[in-house]
Amino acid sequence: MNLSLNKKWAPVFLALASLLLVAAIACGGDSDDGDSGSSAGGGAAAAAATAAPAATAAPAATAKPAASGGTSDAAAKAAPAATVAKGAAAAATKAPNVTGGPEGSLVRAFRTLESVYGIGYVGPYRDSATNQLGGVEESLFNFENGNPMNPFLLDTWEIDAAGTRARMTLKKGLKFQSPIGYENKDFGELDAAELVEWFNRSNATTNPESTYGDAGDFAAIFLEAKVVDQYTIEIGLVSPVYYCLPVSQFGCLSAARGPHKVTSADTEGVEWARAHHVGTGPYVQGACTPGDRCTVHAVSDHWRKVGNVASITGIQVPEATTQIAMLKNGAIDMTVLDYKLLPDVIADGFTFLETMPGGFVGQSILFPGNLWEHSHARTSEPLAPWDSPPLEKDYPWIGNPWGTQGDTCTDGDGVGRTLCGNAPYTDVDNAAGIDDMEQARLVRLALSIAIDRGAINDVLLNGIGTPIYSEYMGPEYPGWDASRETGCWDWVGGTISCSGTMQSVPWEIADGDLTVAGDLLTTAGYPLVSGKRQGFEPLTLQAYSAEAGPVGLEVADTVMSDWSRLGIEISGLIEDYGGVISPRMRQRIQYLPVLKNGDVHSNVYPIDWPMPTVDTSSSRPGWGVGFESQAGAKWLFEILGEKDASVRAEKHLNWVDYSMYWLQYAGVFQVPKGIVVNDRIKSWDGYQQHYSNVSGNPEFIELN
């Protein structure tokens, strides 16, 4: 870093330089618990009904046998430990041969058990109870031997040389399984016509009314799907994509769900279809009562794998103390518990089982409202971010590259401002020599530096996690380099010489350095007078019991305590994510920081992938994280269209540098994924999944 340009900034620059720490280099929707909102009611414990063991069926003659989950020592009863990710992700190993039919039953507790959303394109932005339990639907691709695009329900797939369309051919004989109570009804097979309907009804481009969780991800990549023959479809591509499509169970390009029968809405009625999830998986939906219980049952005949456990019942048990008591008295067999509770539970003889060893789940501070795209990345439709609620006031953490009253901009008057407009406020609080974008960047950097990640890990996570410094990068991620710095970037993605306040940011910043953080706020134009930051808008942090569990709420309290010690007036606000925050994110009207995670979700993220489509306008009108950048929108399509993996990897790391420099996320922590089980469960080694904390493949559970 060049610290010699201006003595005025020397204390801050020296403090910034001190952030660079040396560390060992590690190789590199929503919660699986379905907690999208507040709990309503709770299910009483009850053993699931046990289906009669059934003979194992051979795979369909036309289907190729697929690889299955692997084996590991994860079931050993020991305190959970951070598991180093093996490359981009642990490769699935071969499944054992099926030697017997399903038998026995299991009961799993969830903090919130959702309703069944049998046709996702008309459901809310929540998981379905059947997806929480898993096994009902399967994906077109899964992760195997380092490849997130291993054909699973598909026989073959290809992308044309121009990158304009994808062609996919299904395996034959993929039967839609009948829910319990409808065993005598034939729901047919997954063929090209059904697959086309699933794509087109789910995609926000072909169906703007779709509320499917992957609607925006589909819209960023896919155009209309069309039938070629009985088992083959073609689907147009928004731009060239040669190596990855958002239809993998692994979560390739931010989408992870598999096809399910949507035409039951036409044949059985919309209300029936909403309440009955029909898929091709080794389990089928049984009796389900929202907010109480739901059961899935193993089928006796499946093309790939007959489940070992006859039935699995999920029940709603909102309180962790009740879950633990039910574990101890045998009323439940497994549950996802808050990480701070694990040591005592493990000491009582239960096991923290990593069902996808090597995967961590993280949480970060998202900074919505930083809307730096003037036009839609795919359609060029004007977005007019200067008219949006996040720019109605001069929030310190939101950078405005456009104009304000008294400092107007017009179309084409600067880099990145092909279209331009003026926010309604007058900007008078920028420190001398910096604009609003740099002021807000320094604020976000200060807020990130103030977070005591080490204390959070030691006190709240019992030392089993690691800090992360961005949604995009941290220990255990591929490409992690504790000695790397970001360099300096302009807001549209160009590299610039570091000067003035604009200095390179270390990938690994200091934890909880309130002195450096305070100096940054003063430099940004918010001096500390009598213990209060002058001119700093009161800040509200929104928290959500999300992918890492309820401990996230306690982490939020700690973060707010750290921030308050900077002299900031701070408060917390907990709202229903699925019903309140997510719609605001989707509409790009959220301006309060949020502690959860975006679509990167975990360390299991290949180094040659682009960052998520939802971090740009490409996912509009579908869900987004609430901020957007022209740089990201440009790089997304560059990486998607690049055939050379090494070039993709370099572009990926450049995007990491840009995002960490501009502090689009402030990473906080990551913890190993897993579930607490009793001694009835011998093992559960499923496919590596990017967006799940617990395997979505219950067919691989083995009982003692």
Side-chain angles (χ1 to χ4, degrees):
M1 293 184 289
N2 183 356
L3 305 182
S4 63
L5 296 178
N6 192 327
K7 292 182 180 179
K8 176 180 178 181
W9 310 112
V12 175
F13 296 159
L14 290 172
L16 277 172
S18 72
L19 300 179
L20 184 58
L21 303 177
V22 178
I25 298 175
C27 295
D30 283 337
S31 144
D32 72 281
D33 212 352
D35 284 346
S36 308
S38 58
S39 299
T50 305
T56 303
T62 54
K64 296 179 180 178
S68 173
T71 59
S72 75
D73 296 327
K77 291 184 178 179
T83 306
V84 176
K86 301 173 180 65
T93 55
K94 300 297 181 181
N97 293 326
V98 177
T99 57
E103 59 184 7
S105 62
L106 292 173
V107 180
R108 176 176 170 183
F110 294 87
R111 294 189 306 273
T112 301
L113 187 69
E114 297 290 353
S115 299
V116 173
Y117 305 118
I119 44 174
Y121 70 94
V122 296
Y125 184 75
R126 297 181 187 275
D127 231 346
S128 171
T130 43
N131 285 111
Q132 288 178 279
L133 288 163
V136 173
E137 66 182 35
E138 300 172 292
S139 292
L140 298 177
F141 300 85
N142 76 335
F143 187 99
E144 183 181 351
N145 297 326
N147 177 20
M149 295 295 289
N150 174 64
F152 199 48
L153 291 180
L154 294 180
D155 191 31
T156 62
W157 71 294
E158 65 171 359
I159 296 175
D160 69 334
T164 60
R165 59 107 183 116
R167 178 172 287 209
M168 307 177 198
T169 300
L170 288 160
K171 289 179 168 67
K172 299 175 182 178
L174 296 171
K175 177 185 176 183
F176 278 122
Q177 308 286 1
S178 303
I180 298 299
Y182 299 88
E183 293 87 345
N184 294 329
K185 184 172 182 59
D186 184 359
F187 287 89
E189 68 173 330
L190 176 60
D191 58 12
E194 289 284 354
L195 188 59
V196 160
E197 289 297 326
W198 174 69
F199 267 122
N200 291 340
R201 297 189 195 197
S202 301
N203 189 341
T205 294
T206 50
N207 178 16
E209 301 302 316
S210 172
T211 56
Y212 192 57
D214 294 337
D217 306 301
F218 282 5
I221 305 298
F222 294 129
L223 299 172
E224 184 180 6
K226 298 180 180 179
V227 173
V228 174
D229 59 36
Q230 185 177 0
Y231 296 104
T232 303
I233 74 164
E234 278 192 357
I235 186 165
L237 302 176
V238 171
S239 65
V241 183
Y242 293 105
Y243 71 105
C244 199
L245 295 172
V247 282
S248 170
Q249 184 186 23
F250 183 66
C252 199
L253 299 185
S254 305
R257 288 194 60 180
H260 49 275
K261 190 174 181 69
V262 296
T263 59
S264 57
D266 308 329
T267 59
E268 312 300 318
V270 171
E271 291 309 311
W272 187 96
R274 287 167 64 99
H276 296 85
H277 186 181
V278 180
T280 63
Y283 282 82
V284 296
Q285 177 187 334
C288 294
T289 303
D292 181 29
R293 66 187 57 245
C294 185
T295 301
V296 294
H297 300 266
V299 300
S300 60
D301 182 358
H302 190 258
W303 71 274
R304 172 178 59 85
K305 175 78 167 77
V306 174
N308 298 310
V309 181
S311 67
I312 304 171
T313 295
I315 63 174
Q316 180 164 295
V317 184
E319 298 298 328
T321 53
T322 307
Q323 293 177 6
I324 293 172
M326 295 173 74
L327 274 172
K328 291 180 177 180
N329 67 24
I332 64 173
D333 300 292
M334 52 184 168
T335 189
V336 174
L337 286 175
D338 200 4
Y339 286 85
K340 69 177 183 178
L341 301 175
L342 292 181
D344 289 343
V345 174
I346 300 244
D348 285 335
F350 296 95
T351 299
F352 178 81
L353 189 64
E354 291 184 63
T355 64
M356 299 173 290
F360 286 71
V361 58
Q363 284 197 286
S364 301
I365 308 289
L366 286 69
F367 288 106
N370 286 284
L371 301 172
W372 306 336
E373 291 186 62
H374 56 69
S375 300
H376 195 290
R378 291 184 289 107
T379 68
S380 297
E381 172 192 1
L383 299 177
W386 42 84
D387 292 333
S388 64
L391 291 184
E392 288 180 354
K393 296 176 64 177
D394 187 13
Y395 297 105
W397 55 90
I398 294 179
N400 177 9
W402 319 112
T404 61
Q405 301 305 306
D407 182 22
T408 60
C409 70
T410 57
D411 294 354
D413 69 353
V415 175
R417 304 208 311 193
T418 302
L419 298 181
C420 200
N422 305 298
Y425 63 84
T426 301
D427 191 6
V428 296
D429 64 355
N430 298 335
I434 66 175
D435 60 12
D436 193 70
M437 286 291 283
E438 176 63 3
Q439 179 189 49
R441 187 188 74 85
L442 294 176
V443 168
R444 295 191 300 274
L445 180 58
L447 294 176
S448 182
I449 290 171
I451 299 171
D452 194 338
R453 296 168 176 84
I456 287 171
N457 186 45
D458 292 341
V459 177
L460 298 180
L461 303 174
N462 290 293
I464 68 171
T466 73
I468 58 173
Y469 305 95
S470 169
E471 172 90 354
Y472 292 163
M473 185 56 68
E476 313 294 342
Y477 282 63
W480 167 248
D481 181 353
S483 66
R484 181 165 172 147
E485 296 191 19
T486 64
C488 296
W489 300 80
D490 63 27
W491 66 279
V492 294
T495 56
I496 58 175
S497 297
C498 297
S499 63
T501 64
M502 303 174 72
Q503 296 296 312
S504 182
V505 177
W507 271 20
E508 183 172 2
I509 62 176
D511 284 342
D513 195 326
L514 298 179
T515 299
V516 170
D519 288 345
L520 285 168
L521 291 179
T522 298
T523 299
Y526 301 107
L528 185 67
V529 178
S530 300
K532 293 185 177 180
R533 290 287 161 185
Q534 303 303 294
F536 201 101
E537 177 78 19
L539 191 157
T540 299
L541 176 64
Q542 294 207 273
Y544 167 54
S545 181
E547 287 77 357
V551 72
L553 301 179
E554 296 186 60
V555 170
D557 289 339
T558 301
V559 170
M560 289 188 291
S561 176
D562 292 336
W563 288 354
S564 68
R565 289 190 288 163
L566 294 172
I568 296 171
E569 183 180 341
I570 182 77
S571 61
L573 177 61
I574 299 174
E575 294 182 298
D576 172 42
Y577 184 79
V580 179
I581 300 177
S582 179
R584 287 203 298 256
M585 292 283 206
R586 176 173 176 158
Q587 298 171 54
R588 275 68 171 183
I589 62 175
Q590 173 81 14
Y591 57 86
L592 298 177
V594 180
L595 174 64
K596 67 175 303 287
N597 59 272
D599 253 18
V600 171
H601 190 279
S602 76
N603 65 305
V604 186
Y605 204 80
I607 197 171
D608 65 333
W609 282 16
M611 300 309 171
T613 58
V614 299
D615 289 6
T616 73
S617 65
S618 295
S619 65
R620 289 186 185 230
W623 179 75
V625 294
F627 65 74
E628 298 169 346
S629 66
Q630 293 180 45
K634 173 176 178 286
W635 292 332
L636 171 67
F637 293 106
E638 286 183 1
I639 296 174
L640 290 175
E642 176 57 56
K643 296 180 180 179
D644 188 325
S646 64
V647 175
R648 293 198 301 265
E650 186 59 33
K651 288 179 178 291
H652 174 109
L653 293 175
N654 284 339
W655 196 339
V656 170
D657 285 338
Y658 169 88
S659 181
M660 294 182 77
Y661 177 79
W662 281 104
L663 265 294
Q664 294 175 304
Y665 294 97
V668 182
F669 70 90
Q670 63 180 357
V671 284
K673 300 177 178 182
I675 187 170
V676 175
V677 302
N678 63 19
D679 59 8
R680 294 190 61 215
I681 299 173
K682 177 181 179 182
S683 65
W684 183 0
D685 291 342
Y687 303 116
Q688 190 67 245
Q689 294 172 247
H690 186 52
Y691 290 112
S692 298
N693 287 7
V694 179
S695 171
N697 299 105
E699 65 269 24
F700 299 136
I701 296 175
E702 294 190 17
L703 300 178
N704 282 310

